[in-house]
Amino acid sequence: MYKTGMGLDRRQCEQIYYADNSFGIAVYRKYSSGSRYPNISLSAPLPGIPKPVFASVDGQEQCETKITTLENGLKVASQNKFGQFCTVGILVNSGSRHETKYPSGIAHFLEKLAFSSTAQYGSKDEILLTLEKHGGICDCQTSRDTTMYAVSAEVKGLDTIVSLLSDAVLQPRLLDEEIEMTRMAVRFELEDLNMRPDPEPLLTEMIHAAAYRGNTVGLPRFCPVDNVEKIDKKLLHTYLRSYYCPERMVLAGVGIEHEQLVACARKYLLDVKPVWGASTPTNVDLSVAQYTGGIVRVRDMSDVSLGPTPIPELTHIMIGLESCSFLEEDFIPFAVLNMMMGGGGSFSAGGPGKGMFTRLYLNVLNRHHWMYNATSYHHSYEDSGLLCIHASADPRQVREMVEIITREFIQMAGTAGEMELARAKTQLKSMLMMNLESRPVIFEDVGRQVLATGKRKLPHELCDLISNITASDIKRVTTKMLRSKPAVAALGDLTEMPSYEHIQAALSSKDGRLPRMYRLFR
């Protein structure tokens, strides 16, 4: 803080303090007396100072995604984003949905084995030390249809990054001790999945198993306990030979120049022979997702209610209907519909009534105090999709809870209000743009879009599509969705759970009510 002893009054000192840089201080000192320029403002150009010249790019170049396909079929996609750091990774069109011919769980194993020892690096520690020199971190994530290896590090280490990624994806050693450690990690994760207080990941698994019984995206994302011992190096190599081929890969980068990334791709990914030998993409599973509908029940929830302050014993229900693929035009109306339904927990940040305007808050949580949760989710894949609502309540009120949710599904087909539709569209655009402020999110968006479609829709194009959605679009997609059979996942005490046939009847009715049941004895 500046002292008034410098011969300036308090107001002049504050001016100097808030313009705290050498140039600003000099100017303020010169003109603080107000004799020549009494009303100097930092929002206007300073007198006698030449206009600064900044490096700039036009709007198109700034957000343009450049794509190059190499001779072996590998796609290289990049978006320049000026800064010291970049995010680069390899995305593979491979996941749990491709395990029809194999024991389920291979993709889960590969996620845990990622960035272990390779032909070039003796251990995971060596990889981490190499990345540390460039301020980098690495990660691998698998979903039902994509495996993603990613590294964030300084731009000047790009050559090392692409070399490391090539080694991690195409030259893993898969040592016996690494596979054994992975078995332990998988077992631990499966135990944790069944014991964690938040049942959402488990319910997501169950609703997919119910909606796509025994096919593609309905196959388990997590390795079943029975398969942990079955997966070995030979099986992993057989799977990798089929799916880890250049035609099914994208090298994506954000924060680097495209030509530089293409040069690195040619150097490290063009003529590299994988450790498992030549790839044979003829064995690839090209099955299209078959939506079946159905119900999956898990009754035992005793493990989560231990301790001096036990978690309330709740019953969790998730009801879903088939939506559409992310390649279809109806994907955008479904995204808006999902945002319009919204929802969350009964104890959410901000509390009820403080800016919570989605339907599941207004119609469900704010009216029925006994419900702990009501949340809408939308899962979309290249050939199908699933829109579902997760709700939680005391086991004695399960029947009423299910009826409330089925009524919400039926009311989706009504005409959406002008204000709630505008709010949902604004919120969706806002969420899209805020997420794309993060470099790793841009990387994933670029990689996934190029992997699925060979091109990328830019954010402003998506915002335009969202803005054009009307109430009739929402009504049309909902009416089509309500014709599909429901998929139901139920977890907890299911004594009061209505039958699948009754839920189906409620979703086929005009008001969403369950058929009445009459009992002589309770």
Side-chain angles (χ1 to χ4, degrees), residues 379-401:
H379 307 279
S380 196
Y381 305 97
E382 63 182 2
D383 45 13
S384 186
L386 188 66
L387 187 131
C388 43
I389 296 176
H390 166 212
S392 309
D394 186 275
R396 292 166 294 183
Q397 290 166 308
V398 170
R399 185 176 177 83
E400 189 177 352
M401 173 176 71

Side-chain angles (χ1 to χ4, degrees), residues 369-383:
H369 64 90
W370 44 269
M371 285 187 71
Y372 282 75
N373 194 336
T375 314
S376 175
Y377 296 96
H378 187 216
H379 307 279
S380 196
Y381 305 97
E382 63 182 2
D383 45 13

Side-chain angles (χ1 to χ4, degrees), residues 11-189:
R11 183 183 64 81
Q12 291 166 328
C13 287
E14 285 175 355
Q15 285 181 324
I16 292 172
Y17 177 71
Y18 287 115
D20 197 1
N21 59 70
S22 56
F23 178 71
I25 289 171
V27 172
Y28 265 108
R29 281 180 177 156
K30 184 175 179 181
Y31 299 121
S32 60
S33 63
S35 58
R36 190 175 170 194
Y37 297 102
N39 297 315
I40 272 201
S41 168
L42 286 183
S43 61
L46 292 167
I49 306 297
K51 189 176 179 182
V53 179
F54 299 104
S56 63
V57 292
D58 61 36
Q60 181 65 25
E61 188 183 340
Q62 190 175 13
C63 59
E64 183 184 10
T65 301
K66 296 180 179 178
I67 302 165
T68 300
T69 304
L70 301 186
E71 291 81 353
N72 62 354
L74 176 85
K75 291 185 179 67
V76 181
S78 74
Q79 181 170 323
N80 206 351
K81 200 170 175 62
F82 304 101
Q84 187 181 353
F85 284 82
C86 64
T87 300
V88 182
I90 294 176
L91 291 92
V92 189
N93 186 5
S94 147
S96 60
R97 71 169 293 164
H98 300 107
E99 295 172 357
T100 307
K101 302 174 185 176
Y102 303 88
S104 292
I106 293 177
H108 191 191
F109 259 70
L110 289 172
E111 179 185 72
K112 301 295 175 201
L113 283 163
F115 296 105
S116 296
S117 64
T118 68
Q120 189 179 340
Y121 299 93
S123 66
K124 189 163 194 167
D125 290 342
E126 275 190 42
I127 290 176
L128 296 176
L129 283 169
T130 303
L131 286 173
E132 200 174 293
K133 292 172 187 173
H134 300 286
I137 54 171
C138 61
D139 188 28
C140 177
Q141 293 179 4
T142 59
S143 62
R144 295 181 187 279
D145 51 5
T146 311
T147 302
M148 182 171 66
Y149 298 78
V151 173
S152 286
E154 286 181 313
V155 177
K156 61 186 179 183
L158 180 64
D159 196 78
T160 306
I161 294 168
V162 178
S163 169
L164 191 153
L165 281 165
S166 171
D167 229 39
V169 175
L170 300 174
Q171 305 286 333
R173 286 186 180 174
L174 305 179
L175 302 174
D176 291 341
E177 55 265 33
E178 290 172 346
I179 293 175
E180 196 53 48
M181 286 294 290
T182 300
R183 288 196 179 109
M184 291 172 61
V186 167
R187 284 195 193 97
F188 176 81
E189 192 169 342

Side-chain angles (χ1 to χ4, degrees), residues 279-307:
S279 297
T280 52
T282 48
N283 295 328
V284 168
D285 177 27
L286 299 174
S287 304
V288 176
Q290 301 295 317
Y291 182 87
T292 60
I295 186 167
V296 172
R297 298 182 179 91
V298 176
R299 287 189 166 83
D300 184 23
M301 284 285 286
S302 57
D303 289 341
V304 298
S305 297
L306 304 174

Side-chain angles (χ1 to χ4, degrees), residues 139-376:
D139 188 28
C140 177
Q141 293 179 4
T142 59
S143 62
R144 295 181 187 279
D145 51 5
T146 311
T147 302
M148 182 171 66
Y149 298 78
V151 173
S152 286
E154 286 181 313
V155 177
K156 61 186 179 183
L158 180 64
D159 196 78
T160 306
I161 294 168
V162 178
S163 169
L164 191 153
L165 281 165
S166 171
D167 229 39
V169 175
L170 300 174
Q171 305 286 333
R173 286 186 180 174
L174 305 179
L175 302 174
D176 291 341
E177 55 265 33
E178 290 172 346
I179 293 175
E180 196 53 48
M181 286 294 290
T182 300
R183 288 196 179 109
M184 291 172 61
V186 167
R187 284 195 193 97
F188 176 81
E189 192 169 342
L190 293 174
E191 285 179 25
D192 177 63
L193 189 69
N194 289 311
M195 292 181 68
R196 68 173 63 177
D198 177 22
E200 197 270 324
L202 197 57
L203 283 163
T204 301
E205 282 296 290
M206 292 165 64
I207 196 84
H208 279 84
Y212 305 92
R213 194 168 289 275
N215 75 89
T216 57
V217 293
L219 298 172
R221 194 172 80 79
F222 299 100
C223 179
V225 179
D226 298 342
N227 291 350
V228 172
E229 291 297 330
K230 294 178 184 176
I231 296 172
D232 56 17
K233 184 175 179 177
K234 184 180 177 183
L235 186 63
L236 290 169
H237 274 186
T238 307
Y239 179 87
L240 291 166
R241 193 175 295 115
S242 296
Y243 291 98
Y244 277 46
C245 45
E247 301 91 333
R248 300 176 65 84
M249 291 183 186
V250 169
L251 174 67
V254 175
I256 31 73
E257 291 183 7
H258 187 70
E259 291 73 19
Q260 198 179 353
L261 187 62
V262 171
C264 288
R266 289 186 182 280
K267 186 176 177 182
Y268 296 111
L269 289 162
L270 189 56
D271 297 314
V272 179
K273 187 178 179 183
V275 72
W276 49 82
S279 297
T280 52
T282 48
N283 295 328
V284 168
D285 177 27
L286 299 174
S287 304
V288 176
Q290 301 295 317
Y291 182 87
T292 60
I295 186 167
V296 172
R297 298 182 179 91
V298 176
R299 287 189 166 83
D300 184 23
M301 284 285 286
S302 57
D303 289 341
V304 298
S305 297
L306 304 174
T309 54
I311 297 165
E313 186 188 353
L314 301 177
T315 297
H316 304 273
I317 306 292
M318 195 178 268
I319 300 174
L321 295 168
E322 186 179 20
S323 58
C324 73
S325 142
F326 58 67
L327 300 175
E328 296 177 45
E329 289 182 3
D330 285 346
F331 173 69
I332 301 293
F334 271 115
V336 174
L337 173 63
N338 180 53
M339 197 58 69
M340 201 185 330
M341 298 308 295
S346 59
F347 187 77
S348 295
K354 296 181 181 176
M356 294 179 175
F357 294 103
T358 58
R359 284 192 186 181
L360 291 178
Y361 269 115
L362 292 176
N363 302 345
V364 179
L365 291 169
N366 289 357
R367 293 185 183 182
H368 306 285
H369 64 90
W370 44 269
M371 285 187 71
Y372 282 75
N373 194 336
T375 314
S376 175

